[in-house]
Amino acid sequence: MTLPYGDVGLAMTQQDALTGNIASSTAGVVVRSSIRSDNNRRATRAALPAAPLLIFLLLFLVIPIGSVVHTAISDGEIAKALPLTTQALQAWDGDELPATAIFMKLGQELEAAGHVGSVRPLARRLGYELTGGASAILNAQRALSEDFDRADPKAWKAHLIKADGAWGQGGVWSIIKQHDSRYSAFYLRWATGFPVKIEADGSLSRESSYDFRSIYLRTILISLVVTGLTIVIGYPVAYVIANSSGRTAAVLLFFILLPFWTSLLVRTMSWIVFLQTNGVLNNALAGTGLTSEPLPLLYTRMATIIAMIQIQLPFTVLPMISVMRAIPANHVKAARSLGAGPLLAHATIFLPQAVPGIAAGGLLTFVLCLGFYLTPALVGGPSDQMVSFFIARFTNEDLNWGLASALSVILIFGAGIVALPLARHVARHSSDRI
C-alpha cells in the first residue's frame, strides 16, 4: 500500500527519533564510562606516592602476619613421618590395640624417618600431646636397630611394646590417628588454655602446664591499669600544654618528647637503678628515716606498672594535646559568662569535646601495652610477665614455634577485636579534631 507523503514523513520522523534516542543513550553510556575511567586514572595517579608505603606494609606486615597464622595452624610432623600409619589407623575403632600389621607399618616408617632425620621433630611433636611421647618415639626407634623377626608382624608389635609401654596402650595411637593432615587447631587450642595433653592410657595429663588464660587476663589487667593511670596523669599535662603559649608550652612539650630521644632499654634500666635494693629511692627513704631497711620495690607489679606508665605517657598525651588545641576557647568563656563555674564549664563544655583525644590516646596506649615485653621482663617478677614474654620464650628457648605463633595470633586478633570498634568510634566522633 502506498503511504501518503505525510505519513511517510511521519514514519521517517518516528524512526529517526527512535534511532536518535538509541544513539543518545549509547553516547551517554560512553561518556559516563569515559568519565569513570578518567576518575579511576586520576585516583590511581593520586595514590602513586603512597605505593612505597603500601609495598612496605605488604612485605613487612601482611606477609609476616600471614606467615605467623600459617605456622600457628601447621601441624604436619606426624602426617609427614607416619603417612601410611595414620592412613591405616583411620579404620581403627580405638577399643582395642591396632592390628599387628599397623605395628609393623609404624616400625617401618620409624626406620625410614630415622634415615631422613625426621625422628626428633616427630618425637618433640608427640611429646607436646602425650606424657612421655618423645621417649616413646625415641625408645622405639632405638629398639628397631636390634635383631628380631622382621617378617612377622607379631614380632614388630612385641618389640615395640617391649621398647616402650606406651605402645601397648591406646593414647599414643589415638593421637597418631588424629593427625592425618598437615594442618590442625592443636596449637590454637593449646594457646587458648584448653587441655591438650593426655597420658598413655588416654586420660588427661597430670603434668602442670602454662595457665594461658590467667596470662591473658594478667596482660589485659596490667594494660588497663597503665592506660587508666596514663590518662589520669596525662590529661592535666595535656590541658596545660594545649592552653599555654610561648616558652611555657615549648618547655612542657620538650619534657613530654624527651623520652623519645632515649632508647627503651636505657629508660627501663634507669628504673632498675632507681628501684633496686641499694638504689636511689631506697637510699633516699633510708636517709630521711622513713624506712629502716630497703623496701622490695624492684621485680614487683608496682615497678612494672610505674615503668610502663613512664614509657607510655607520651603516646597518651600527644593525641590529647592535638584535640584540645582544636577546641575553641570561646566555648568555655561563653559558659562562664552564663554563670557556670570553672569546674562546671570544664566538665560540661571542654571535657566532652576532648573525649576523642582521650579515647585515641587511651586506645593507642592500651594496644601498645598488650605487646609489652622488655619492661616487664626486666623490672617485673615471675608473676608479672605478659603474653609477649611467653612468645619470646617459646620462640627462643623451647623452639616451639607453633605455640609461639598461636599465642601471637590470639594476641593480634584479640587486640584487633578490642581496637577496631574503638578506633571506628574515635574516627566517627573526632571529625577534624585529630
Side-chain angles (χ1 to χ4, degrees):
M1 186 177 71
T2 303
L3 292 173
Y5 179 80
D7 293 341
V8 173
L10 178 60
M12 292 180 64
T13 302
Q14 289 174 341
Q15 184 176 3
D16 290 345
L18 179 60
T19 304
N21 288 337
I22 294 174
S24 176
S25 176
T26 304
V29 171
V30 171
V31 169
R32 284 195 296 273
S33 176
S34 176
I35 293 173
R36 194 179 303 115
S37 300
D38 187 57
N39 290 336
N40 290 336
R41 282 194 296 271
R42 290 183 179 182
T44 303
R45 284 197 297 269
L48 279 180
L53 174 62
L54 296 177
I55 294 173
F56 181 85
L57 292 177
L58 176 65
L59 293 178
F60 300 105
L61 180 64
V62 177
I63 293 178
I65 289 178
S67 175
V68 169
V69 173
H70 180 265
T71 305
I73 61 175
S74 294
D75 189 17
E77 289 89 348
I78 296 177
K80 179 181 177 182
L82 309 172
L84 299 179
T85 304
T86 55
Q87 184 179 358
L89 282 172
Q90 299 310 305
W92 176 55
D93 58 9
D95 294 334
E96 303 289 340
L97 284 178
T100 54
I102 297 180
F103 277 88
M104 182 175 179
K105 200 178 297 294
L106 171 72
Q108 292 172 342
E109 288 193 318
L110 282 178
E111 287 184 322
H115 295 313
V116 297
S118 59
V119 170
R120 290 200 172 276
L122 173 64
R124 184 170 57 246
R125 172 58 186 85
L126 200 61
Y128 294 155
E129 203 165 352
L130 178 74
T131 302
S135 299
I137 293 292
L138 296 176
N139 290 337
Q141 206 266 339
R142 275 194 295 269
L144 291 175
S145 62
E146 301 171 357
D147 290 333
F148 63 97
D149 185 3
R150 296 176 180 274
D152 183 8
K154 293 181 180 179
W156 286 87
K157 178 179 179 179
H159 205 65
L160 287 173
I161 294 176
K162 180 182 177 183
D164 196 294
W167 297 109
Q169 303 181 67
V172 62
W173 295 104
S174 65
I175 294 173
I176 295 175
K177 177 184 177 181
Q178 294 169 7
H179 294 282
D180 59 336
S181 169
R182 293 179 179 271
Y183 298 96
S184 79
F186 169 74
Y187 291 111
L188 291 174
R189 286 191 291 112
W190 191 359
T192 47
F194 289 98
V196 295
K197 198 164 189 176
I198 63 173
E199 300 287 341
D201 60 0
S203 61
L204 286 178
S205 175
R206 294 179 292 275
E207 286 185 1
S208 60
S209 183
Y210 295 97
D211 187 357
F212 290 121
R213 294 181 182 180
S214 296
I215 295 170
Y216 291 128
L217 181 61
R218 180 195 309 157
T219 302
I220 293 172
L221 288 177
I222 292 177
S223 301
L224 286 175
V225 170
V226 172
T227 302
L229 291 177
T230 52
I231 290 175
V232 171
I233 297 171
Y235 182 84
V237 178
Y239 178 79
V240 171
I241 294 176
N243 290 278
S244 302
S245 59
R247 183 171 298 180
T248 303
V251 171
L252 291 174
L253 195 58
F254 168 77
F255 283 112
I256 292 296
L257 297 176
L258 185 60
F260 287 131
W261 298 0
T262 56
S263 74
L264 177 62
L265 179 60
V266 172
R267 280 180 280 164
T268 304
M269 292 302 295
S270 68
W271 281 105
I272 295 178
V273 174
F274 187 74
L275 297 175
Q276 64 182 329
T277 303
N278 296 318
V280 177
L281 184 55
N282 268 318
N283 287 338
L285 293 174
T288 56
L290 294 175
T291 59
S292 58
E293 57 184 17
L295 297 176
L297 302 174
L298 195 59
Y299 308 125
T300 62
R301 181 69 55 86
M302 183 196 70
T304 303
I305 291 176
I306 291 176
M308 289 177 65
I309 289 173
Q310 187 267 328
I311 293 168
Q312 288 297 120
L313 199 56
F315 296 102
T316 310
V317 170
L318 292 177
M320 288 196 283
I321 295 174
S322 173
V323 172
M324 289 178 179
R325 280 182 169 170
I327 299 174
N330 54 8
H331 287 189
V332 176
K333 290 179 181 177
R336 294 293 308 277
S337 67
L338 294 174
L343 292 179
L344 181 61
H346 183 90
T348 57
I349 302 300
F350 188 87
L351 181 59
Q353 297 185 73
V355 166
I358 298 172
L363 177 62
L364 182 61
T365 301
F366 179 72
V367 172
L368 290 176
C369 285
L370 289 177
F372 251 72
Y373 164 67
L374 185 62
T375 303
L378 292 180
V379 302
S383 61
D384 305 315
Q385 303 308 317
M386 302 167 72
V387 174
S388 299
F389 173 84
F390 294 93
I391 293 174
R393 166 177 287 185
F394 290 124
T395 302
N396 300 321
E397 298 179 15
D398 296 353
L399 302 181
N400 189 346
W401 292 0
L403 182 57
S405 299
L407 290 170
S408 302
V409 168
I410 293 173
L411 185 62
I412 292 170
F413 283 95
I417 291 172
V418 173
L420 287 179
L422 291 177
R424 292 184 62 184
H425 177 79
V426 170
R428 190 164 54 248
H429 291 84
S430 61
S431 63
D432 57 347
R433 293 189 186 281
I434 297 180

